[in-house]
């Protein structure tokens, strides 16, 4: 049995997609897998409750609570339908110490920024500290930044030494582990690339809103006037309307909002779009996987490394809007070759873990 731990419970499209992709790939290649149901309830609670400090902002947040609740329900449903979650539910640091974990099973820490200490609140569960099992692995784990201090790394150095195999998502992660652990590790693709576009189509769902046959899709994790301007200019040039997946961004003038979008509806919107503008890592990752004409803008400090690394790996650095607005169509013959090569290499790594789990029984 492979016990998988990752950010499966976040009310975040990318986090959920990478978790589902990793789980489904393990199952597809003959592995038995249980996703440890860690922090799902906590993540949902944080999504629903306001963090605003003044009463006016709290009132505004409360007015959006019904919409947030509907989104929360869709994420929860999608998670439970597409993954086998552990019967035991865990919430908060050290909660998994209270459970007796079988030592002869396999434990896999998944992808996403699970090793980003600022994001997890220095949670060592994401370094598998809750079990003494010998078979510990990682798949495409990310530190979420290109540099880490020696003092910070020392906090989980001994835990990483206990891993049988380590793979990371970015070259920067490989350099960090080589520098501080003296260990060569593998760089594998984000789990969303393990599934092909046909696989994603199998779990998508059409939105109820009537949309034109051709449209521009906007998906922002945070508001960007530059990317909005570029999308509007492209809309004027092509004549295609813009539809915005309303998530964390307030109403944008002259752009159509699509509210209460569930993960499977998000997939449908991307696959059926003509163009995509985003500042999300998984926004461009899924768009490339679905062979869309896509542009991405670098935004938050500390999150740019992963976008740089992925666009370079697949030869689409020109689609970064910070470098200018390249309107040349993406040559997907070349991009698909790069993705397929990366996918096969990454599948080989993952299948080795699946096979070792079977042999150990």
């Amino acid at each position: 049995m492979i016990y998988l731990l990752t950010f499966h419970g976040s009310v975040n499209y990318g986090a959920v997609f990478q978790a589902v992709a990793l789980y489904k790939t393990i199952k597809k290649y003959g592995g038995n897998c249980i996703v440890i149901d860690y922090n799902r309830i906590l993540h949902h609670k944080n999504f629903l409750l306001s963090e605003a400090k003044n009463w006016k902002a709290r009132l505004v947040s409360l007015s959006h609570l019904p919409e947030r609740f509907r989104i929360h329900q869709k994420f929860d449903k999608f998670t439970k339908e597409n993954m086998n979650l552990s019967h035991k539910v865990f919430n908060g640091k050290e909660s998994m110490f209270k459970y007796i974990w079988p030592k002869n099973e396999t434990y896999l820490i998944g992808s996403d920024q699970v090793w980003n200490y600022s994001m997890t609140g220095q949670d060592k569960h994401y370094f598998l500290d809750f079990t003494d099992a010998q078979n510990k692995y990682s798949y495409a784990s990310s530190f979420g930044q290109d540099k880490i201090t020696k003092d910070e790394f020392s906090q989980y150095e001994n835990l990483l030494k206990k891993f049988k195999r380590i793979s990371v998502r970015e070259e920067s992660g490989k350099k960090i582990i080589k520098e501080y652990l003296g260990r060569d590790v593998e760089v594998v693709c984000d789990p969303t690339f393990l599934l092909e576009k046909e696989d994603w189509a199998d779990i998508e769902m059409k939105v109820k809103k009537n949309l034109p046959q051709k449209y521009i899709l906007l998906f922002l994790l945070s508001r960007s006037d530059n990317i909005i301007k570029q999308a509007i200019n492209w809309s004027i040039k092509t004549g295609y309307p813009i539809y915005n997946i309303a998530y964390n961004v307030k109403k944008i003038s002259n752009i159509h909002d699509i509210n209460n979008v569930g993960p499977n509806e998000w997939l449908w919107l991307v696959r059926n779009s003509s163009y995509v503008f985003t500042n999300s890592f998984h926004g461009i990752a899924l768009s490339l996987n679905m062979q869309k004409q896509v542009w991405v803008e670098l935004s938050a400090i500390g999150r740019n490394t992963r976008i740089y690394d992925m666009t370079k790996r697949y030869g689409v650095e020109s689609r970064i809007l910070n470098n200018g607005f390249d309107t040349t169509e993406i040559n997907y013959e070349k991009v698909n070759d790069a993705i397929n090569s990366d996918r096969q290499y990454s599948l080989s790594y993952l299948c080795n873990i699946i096979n070792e789990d079977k042999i150990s029984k």
Side-chain angles (χ1 to χ4, degrees), residues 161-216:
K161 286 180 178 178
K162 297 177 182 178
F163 276 64
K164 201 169 183 179
R165 290 176 183 238
I166 296 175
S167 70
V168 292
R169 193 176 63 184
E170 292 95 20
E171 289 289 339
S172 57
K174 179 178 181 176
K175 292 177 182 178
I176 288 169
I177 292 179
K178 179 63 175 178
E179 179 181 358
Y180 295 127
L181 210 60
R183 184 171 172 178
D184 290 313
V185 300
E186 299 183 66
V187 179
V188 293
C189 67
D190 184 84
T192 57
F193 288 105
L194 294 175
L195 298 185
E196 300 186 40
K197 63 177 183 177
E198 294 81 11
D199 299 315
W200 288 114
D202 288 341
I203 58 174
E204 72 180 26
M205 184 173 71
K206 188 180 186 301
V207 297
K208 294 180 180 179
K209 188 181 183 74
N210 289 324
L211 298 180
Q213 196 169 25
K214 296 182 178 180
Y215 59 89
I216 297 168

Side-chain angles (χ1 to χ4, degrees), residues 257-268:
D257 275 350
I258 306 178
N259 298 302
N260 308 320
V261 175
N264 41 8
E265 295 168 313
W266 189 100
L267 293 168
W268 186 91

Side-chain angles (χ1 to χ4, degrees), residues 114-276:
V114 288
W115 289 346
N116 185 335
Y117 241 27
S118 61
M119 181 171 288
T120 66
Q122 300 185 340
D123 191 341
K124 290 186 174 67
H125 279 349
Y126 291 107
F127 292 90
L128 305 180
D129 68 342
F130 55 88
T131 174
D132 293 326
Q134 297 298 310
N135 297 324
K136 293 184 180 182
Y137 304 86
S138 74
Y139 180 86
S141 301
S142 174
F143 292 99
Q145 49 196 322
D146 57 0
K147 292 182 180 179
I148 288 176
T149 65
K150 186 175 181 179
D151 287 341
E152 183 177 353
F153 190 86
S154 66
Q155 296 180 58
Y156 41 79
E157 179 179 356
N158 289 333
L159 292 171
L160 283 178
K161 286 180 178 178
K162 297 177 182 178
F163 276 64
K164 201 169 183 179
R165 290 176 183 238
I166 296 175
S167 70
V168 292
R169 193 176 63 184
E170 292 95 20
E171 289 289 339
S172 57
K174 179 178 181 176
K175 292 177 182 178
I176 288 169
I177 292 179
K178 179 63 175 178
E179 179 181 358
Y180 295 127
L181 210 60
R183 184 171 172 178
D184 290 313
V185 300
E186 299 183 66
V187 179
V188 293
C189 67
D190 184 84
T192 57
F193 288 105
L194 294 175
L195 298 185
E196 300 186 40
K197 63 177 183 177
E198 294 81 11
D199 299 315
W200 288 114
D202 288 341
I203 58 174
E204 72 180 26
M205 184 173 71
K206 188 180 186 301
V207 297
K208 294 180 180 179
K209 188 181 183 74
N210 289 324
L211 298 180
Q213 196 169 25
K214 296 182 178 180
Y215 59 89
I216 297 168
L217 188 66
L218 184 64
F219 175 60
L220 303 178
L221 294 180
S222 57
R223 185 184 175 95
S224 164
D225 291 335
N226 177 53
I227 199 169
I228 291 169
K229 178 182 177 182
Q230 297 285 16
I232 290 174
N233 288 341
W234 196 241
S235 173
I236 293 171
K237 183 172 182 177
T238 60
Y240 299 170
I242 303 172
Y243 285 86
N244 173 51
I245 296 178
Y247 182 55
N248 286 330
V249 180
K250 294 180 181 178
K251 174 66 181 175
I252 304 170
S253 300
N254 302 318
I255 290 179
H256 309 282
D257 275 350
I258 306 178
N259 298 302
N260 308 320
V261 175
N264 41 8
E265 295 168 313
W266 189 100
L267 293 168
W268 186 91
L269 285 167
V270 172
R271 191 174 68 84
N272 286 278
S273 65
S274 299
Y275 303 99
V276 179

Side-chain angles (χ1 to χ4, degrees), residues 3 88 90 95-102 130:
Y3 287 90
K88 183 74 175 176
F90 306 91
S95 61
M96 284 197 275
F97 287 138
K98 302 173 184 177
Y99 185 76
I100 300 175
W101 298 92
F130 55 88

Side-chain angles (χ1 to χ4, degrees), residues 46 223 353:
N46 291 340
R223 185 184 175 95
I353 295 175

Side-chain angles (χ1 to χ4, degrees), residues 102-121:
K103 292 185 179 181
N104 63 333
E105 302 294 357
T106 296
Y107 294 84
L108 177 64
I109 180 66
S111 183
D112 219 342
Q113 297 184 63
V114 288
W115 289 346
N116 185 335
Y117 241 27
S118 61
M119 181 171 288
T120 66

